[in-house]
Amino acid sequence: MGKRQIPDTLLLEERAAHALNAMVGMEDEDHGGIPFFNADLNHKPAFMTHGDWDYGSSHGRMVDSMILARLMTGSDYGVETERRYRDNLLSFFKADGMSYRGRNPVKNWEPNANLIDQRAVLLALTTWFMTTGDSRAKEAADRHVAALKRIAVKEKDVWYYPASEYTEKGWPSANAVQLRLAPDPAAFSGRLIMPLLKYHELTGNPDAYELCQFFAHMIVHRSGVFNEDGSFNSALAYRSGHFHTRLGTLDAIARLGYYNRDASLINWVKKSYDWALTWSTAFGWTPGDMHDQAYEHETCSLVDLIATGITLARSGYTSYWGVVERFLRNHLAESQLLDLSWVEETDDKSNDIPGWLSYYKVAQRTRGSFAGYSAPNDFICDHNHGRGHTSDLQICCLGSGTRGLYMGWSNTVTEENGKVSVNFLLSRGSRWLDVSSYLPYEGKVELDIHRDIPKLQIRIPEWAGYTKLRFTRTLGGETSEGTGTEPSRWLGGCFLQLGPAHAGEKIVVTFPLSFRTTTETAMGESFETKWRGDDVIDITPRGKRKPLYSGRPNLDRAPMREGDYYRPEREYVW
């Protein structure tokens, strides 16, 4: 990449490079390359521990997200770690086609095929095959899909799993099958729809699509996970309305509705999504659940909000582009751990427990990871209610956070049938054009066109209005001007139509910034939030341990730096 002056603003591909550091650093070289699951950064010194999620779940998340990070950056950092993660992932499969948890040398967990793990496993195999064509990934995925179909309990119009764990001897209880028990079907099968559908799109696998259809019908029409008004069922059997698994299910069903062009499914998702937004802040904090974990936000839930919002926006509900951009700019970016000056670490391994716990260089190794649990204003969650302080990092949130970066990056600039759309006002390069965003410092976006584009449009934030919007177009030394006051230039309420664009052309769009203060409510607590455009620049009360939103610069001119954008020749839609 060549060097030039670009705005020193949020660049998602750089965040992905930081995430790679954590994905490599959390590998436990003293335990077969299995990554640690969580970390307590508040402890002195900080430490990492393993967990029963170490196997299919953690490895699936890491393989998927390391591939996505490389698509964004072109980096080959940590390829040997990724190779070990892939080899480990394949080793967890048994002859029946399911991915099983292993035995920990310290904790005597019983090996089983946990149904929550299977989603991450298939996610990884799908991304792996999509980007490499590796026959090992496809063979494992085909066997896996066949197994997921074989073990499902099948009735006339729904299929389901009657327990959270499957064993080599079958379901633990035949009585559970006879009584049609399907505890938390959102966690066990609803979220599975997402990788199953993508795998079907890639390979045409009919079993994968059949599972999607029956699981979706069960969730929407029979399960009771979602109430009629779209709210989450908070019953204990449904994990107290656990937000990550509910929102992950909405993401999955929205994708199925979009794939089938099924407006009824899209509207069903929209109803629940809008309800979930009322429990979240405008900058992206969500509850963990509706009861004991209500105060513990998971980055996983935020990424589900991002993915679902993107599908709804692609389905025609264009206002969600702005909703998602606020999430990307704020709580996703703030949830990534880049400053570890406050974390006490040691390079001494003498107190480590091999296979279970390590104090070794935790700060260095976790830089770039995402919050496992966070408060609206603090990376560390230690609330008076709920469970208090538990842990600060979870590797599932590292995988999800990286996937969230990819979803934002890959949907910033999209092309369909000759129309190129700039959906997020975030800097990035592409084969069609470069986007240089001066937000939140200035209401200014520059588009450098690389190839002829038949139709070009750019989304303008709702707070920018249209009367004072201006744009200039420069090509071959000649400059023309335009304004937002022409009604024919607008489509979908938020997209400025720029018509054909030509290679070598430079388009500069400017508009007024919005300065406002809102009161955001999180589980009954209020936070005064100051905004500059779509960015939170301050929040009160301030966090106490690792405050969020307290150090963001508030400048009237965007700082510049030397650099350039990564422009991959091929992009993959996830």
Side-chain angles (χ1 to χ4, degrees), residues 53 61 116 119 164 182-194 218-220 223-227 230-255 265 268-277 279-280 286-291 293 298 300-309 312:
W53 301 98
R61 300 269 197 171
I116 296 179
R119 184 258 190 185
S164 59
D184 197 11
F188 306 149
S189 55
R191 294 167 63 249
L192 254 174
I193 293 169
M194 182 263 226
M218 183 263 294
I219 292 290
V220 173
S223 71
V225 174
F226 298 89
N227 298 318
S231 61
F232 301 170
N233 189 329
S234 64
L236 185 62
Y238 295 120
R239 299 188 66 187
S240 301
H242 184 240
F243 266 63
H244 173 31
T245 47
R246 291 340 73 165
L247 292 170
T249 297
L250 293 181
D251 171 31
I253 294 178
R255 290 168 183 265
L265 277 187
W268 182 88
V269 169
K270 183 181 184 300
K271 180 170 61 176
S272 281
Y273 188 77
D274 288 343
W275 178 88
L277 291 179
W279 279 64
S280 310
T286 70
D289 67 14
M290 299 171 71
H291 290 287
Q293 291 179 248
E298 298 177 67
C300 294
S301 299
L302 171 56
V303 174
D304 295 331
L305 271 183
I306 288 169
T308 309
L312 290 173

Side-chain angles (χ1 to χ4, degrees), residues 299-334:
T299 299
C300 294
S301 299
L302 171 56
V303 174
D304 295 331
L305 271 183
I306 288 169
T308 309
I310 287 172
T311 302
L312 290 173
R314 292 176 64 199
S315 301
Y317 294 104
T318 55
S319 64
Y320 291 114
W321 289 119
V323 172
V324 172
E325 179 156 343
R326 288 196 298 273
F327 297 162
L328 293 167
R329 288 181 169 276
N330 294 295
H331 221 63
L332 183 65
E334 285 291 290

Side-chain angles (χ1 to χ4, degrees), residues 9 59 76 90 101 131 174 282 324-325 348 388 505 555 567:
T9 55
H59 283 79
D76 61 358
L90 294 180
R101 295 182 173 184
T131 54
V324 172
E325 179 156 343
D348 180 10
E505 186 175 7
L555 307 173
R567 305 177 192 89

Side-chain angles (χ1 to χ4, degrees), residues 197-219:
L197 179 63
K198 190 63 181 180
Y199 191 67
H200 168 72
E201 290 179 36
L202 287 173
T203 66
N205 185 298
D207 290 342
Y209 184 68
E210 194 172 23
L211 284 163
C212 290
Q213 295 287 82
F214 280 101
F215 286 162
H217 192 88
M218 183 263 294
I219 292 290

Side-chain angles (χ1 to χ4, degrees), residues 65-78:
S65 54
M66 290 187 88
I67 294 171
L68 297 183
R70 298 193 196 289
L71 294 177
M72 297 175 67
T73 63
S75 173
D76 61 358
Y77 178 70

Side-chain angles (χ1 to χ4, degrees), residues 41 52 116 168 202 291 323 339 354 356 381 415 456 476 485 565:
L41 303 179
D52 56 354
I116 296 179
E168 289 185 89
L202 287 173
H291 290 287
V323 172
D339 170 26
W356 180 247
C381 180
E415 186 276 337
L456 175 63
T485 59
Y565 309 119

